[in-house]
Amino acid sequence: MKAYDGMYIDGAWRPAAGPDVIEVVNPADEEVIATVPAGTAEDVDAAVRAARAALPAWAATPPTERAARLAALRDVLAARQEEIARTVTAELGAPPKFSATVHAGVPIAVAGSYAELAATYAFEERVGNSTVLHEPVGVVGAITPWNYPLHQIVAKAAPALAAGCTLVVKPAENTPLVARLFAEAVHEAGVPAGVVNLVTGLGPVAGQALAEHPDVDLVSFTGSTDVGRRIGAIATGMVKKVALELGGKSANVVLPSADLARAVNVGVANVMSNSGQTCSAWTRMLVHRDQYDEAVELAAAAAAKYGDRIGPVVSARQRDRVRGYIEKGLAEGARLAVGGPEAPREKGFYVSPTVFADVTPEMTIAQEEIFGPVLSVLRYDDEDEALRIANGTVYGLAGAVWAGEETEAVAFARRMDTGQVDINGGQFNPLAPFGGYKQSGVGRELGAHGLSEYLQTKSLQF
């Protein structure tokens, strides 16, 4: 076990204000692999003050130079990709290949995309007799989750840096080690002192202190809807900007004309990816009544293949939460097609890949975010009913539609109340805006829309 010390503040690792530490547990074997400092409000204040002091110079730095620092950061992350992947596997439990390609690979692509965007974005434009300036919003408090620990940091830090903002990152307490690697990469990339700062700690202590700090101009949070509501209330009370990427209960709508086998297999893979710990996962599969039994059979067979390939969930608490939802589904009358609440292994925070049949829209497992490898299969009689079911939750983050003709799928997708829809297995696009409708959040991440969250506008009339 390694005991890490210090917070990354003003370009250096500095001792934490308090003596408390957080244990980092490997979810695959339940062993403590490291400790990191548990930051306090004093640590957060020091980090915010450093970010505030660095803001004028960084905001005045030409966009091309900011782009160069982002390109350097991308290159450092790429050079350390294997180390990043090993770290994510150790603290999150993700399979090594998935850690390398997704957890380490996607942040590299996102950092690169903002390096290009920073150099080309129109930070100034003419509108009639006005010059409109797009200026950095200021100091950003970035509070990030554990499910995609590096991606979620980069998805906030890269656009903030491109915009000319400075920031303080408070990573999830379950996965702080890759956040420390990010801070090292920032340092190695030559980002000026104070522009990026890192404070590890617990959400109710360090996270709340960051959200409440009067010198933080924007709070960018990714996590649960309940916590997002609290952060939104704090920000509203202080009249500061907020960007919230919250929960989801996304629908995977399989229309009768679709390739059923492909739609089901891709849908199951989507839910099982990252052990189901993905806010945008298609956790509700909607199938026409005439194809329902075949779809359930296909889904159960596909999910069963993940039994020895899927990683653990992040913690004992998360494991127990997911199993509780499985038990709730059984209690409310859903039928197990495969899986269940029983522990699949003696050690580690594992949950069996689970598929529920005979799920009705009002059931808890069809309404609430489970955040584990659990799929609910629902039946519908016609497209209007499918649409009502798809839109019938408080969430609206993502979704999918499958049909024989792309135009048919697109027509259905246009009626869905959700921020992103994949058509017939459309691939992830790091330049497309990502974010939700309804209680799935406020604002967007990625691409130019993600950059705009970190900007404010000023008009000069001539």
Side-chain angles (χ1 to χ4, degrees):
M1 183 188 76
K2 184 168 183 179
Y4 291 92
D5 188 22
M7 310 291 189
Y8 185 72
I9 297 175
D10 202 19
W13 292 98
R14 300 189 175 189
D20 293 341
V21 298
I22 297 170
E23 292 185 339
V24 183
V25 177
N26 184 330
D29 60 16
E30 305 181 39
E31 298 294 326
V32 176
I33 57 175
T35 62
V36 298
T40 66
E42 185 178 345
D43 295 305
V44 169
D45 182 63
V48 173
R49 283 189 283 108
R52 178 60 62 184
L55 179 62
W58 182 247
T61 299
T64 53
E65 176 57 25
R66 298 200 297 261
R69 292 308 97 213
L70 280 164
L73 176 60
R74 173 202 59 205
D75 293 344
V76 174
L77 293 174
R80 302 183 71 169
Q81 185 169 359
E82 291 184 6
E83 181 184 10
I84 290 167
R86 288 195 305 271
T87 302
V88 173
T89 293
E91 64 182 348
L92 181 62
K97 183 178 180 180
F98 191 77
S99 289
T101 57
V102 176
H103 284 290
V106 172
I108 295 168
V110 171
S113 73
Y114 278 109
E116 296 178 5
L117 193 56
T120 59
Y121 191 83
F123 289 99
E124 183 174 320
E125 59 182 325
R126 287 289 292 177
V127 179
N129 67 310
S130 301
T131 295
V132 178
L133 309 178
H134 301 282
E135 300 180 334
V137 71
V139 175
V140 174
I143 304 174
T144 61
W146 45 260
N147 60 324
Y148 289 91
L150 182 59
H151 168 63
Q152 292 293 349
I153 292 174
V154 173
K156 299 179 189 305
L161 293 175
C165 296
T166 58
L167 68 157
V168 177
V169 178
K170 203 300 285 183
E173 53 263 32
N174 302 90
T175 53
L177 303 184
V178 76
R180 292 180 66 92
L181 292 182
F182 173 77
E184 292 176 4
V186 164
H187 193 86
E188 188 176 342
V191 176
V195 172
V196 177
N197 306 273
L198 174 73
V199 175
T200 54
L202 301 176
V205 180
Q208 182 158 336
L210 187 57
E212 293 178 339
H213 201 289
D215 268 342
V216 170
D217 301 296
L218 164 67
V219 181
S220 180
F221 169 78
T222 299
S224 73
T225 298
D226 286 344
V227 176
R229 288 192 193 99
R230 294 199 293 272
I231 290 175
I234 291 170
T236 299
M238 301 181 73
V239 196
K240 65 174 69 176
K241 282 191 72 174
V242 65
L244 304 173
E245 200 272 282
L246 308 176
K249 194 68 184 176
S250 301
N252 180 17
V253 182
V254 184
L255 296 177
S257 62
D259 180 336
L260 183 65
R262 180 165 179 258
V264 170
N265 284 324
V266 174
V268 169
N270 175 278
V271 173
M272 300 304 155
S273 175
N274 208 41
S275 302
Q277 300 168 128
T278 303
C279 54
S280 58
W282 311 332
T283 52
R284 295 179 297 145
M285 182 180 291
L286 279 56
V287 183
H288 191 274
R289 182 177 297 276
D290 293 342
Q291 300 171 312
Y292 186 80
D293 291 340
E294 182 183 359
V296 169
E297 185 177 340
L298 289 168
K305 295 177 182 178
Y306 285 86
D308 57 357
R309 292 159 48 191
I310 199 169
V313 295
V314 72
S315 66
R317 177 182 179 183
Q318 185 66 15
R319 175 200 60 198
D320 295 344
R321 180 179 185 273
V322 175
R323 289 182 184 171
Y325 272 109
I326 296 173
E327 292 169 351
K328 184 79 168 177
L330 292 170
E332 293 184 359
R335 172 172 59 89
L336 269 180
V338 71
E342 296 78 15
R345 304 190 190 188
E346 291 185 4
K347 200 168 188 180
F349 307 135
Y350 290 90
V351 177
S352 294
T354 297
V355 175
F356 275 110
D358 299 335
V359 179
T360 57
E362 70 277 2
M363 288 182 179
T364 302
I365 59 173
Q367 289 291 321
E368 297 184 9
E369 186 176 44
I370 298 173
F371 228 59
V374 181
L375 171 66
S376 296
V377 188
L378 297 89
R379 56 172 61 84
Y380 65 86
D381 288 318
D382 55 40
E383 284 195 18
D384 287 340
E385 184 182 18
L387 185 68
R388 287 194 300 271
I389 295 171
N391 290 340
T393 75
V394 299
Y395 298 109
L397 184 55
V401 184
W402 302 80
E405 295 293 333
E406 183 178 288
T407 53
E408 181 186 5
V410 169
F412 190 96
R414 287 181 181 274
R415 297 197 289 162
M416 294 176 72
D417 296 334
T418 189
Q420 191 170 74
V421 185
D422 293 344
I423 305 298
N424 287 339
Q427 297 300 302
F428 172 74
N429 179 4
L431 298 179
F434 179 81
Y437 287 19
K438 300 188 284 187
Q439 292 187 28
S440 283
V442 176
R444 292 295 181 267
E445 293 185 331
L446 305 179
H449 290 81
L451 176 58
S452 68
E453 296 292 333
Y454 298 89
L455 296 168
Q456 55 190 348
T457 55
K458 175 188 294 179
S459 61
L460 309 179
Q461 282 63 249
F462 296 87

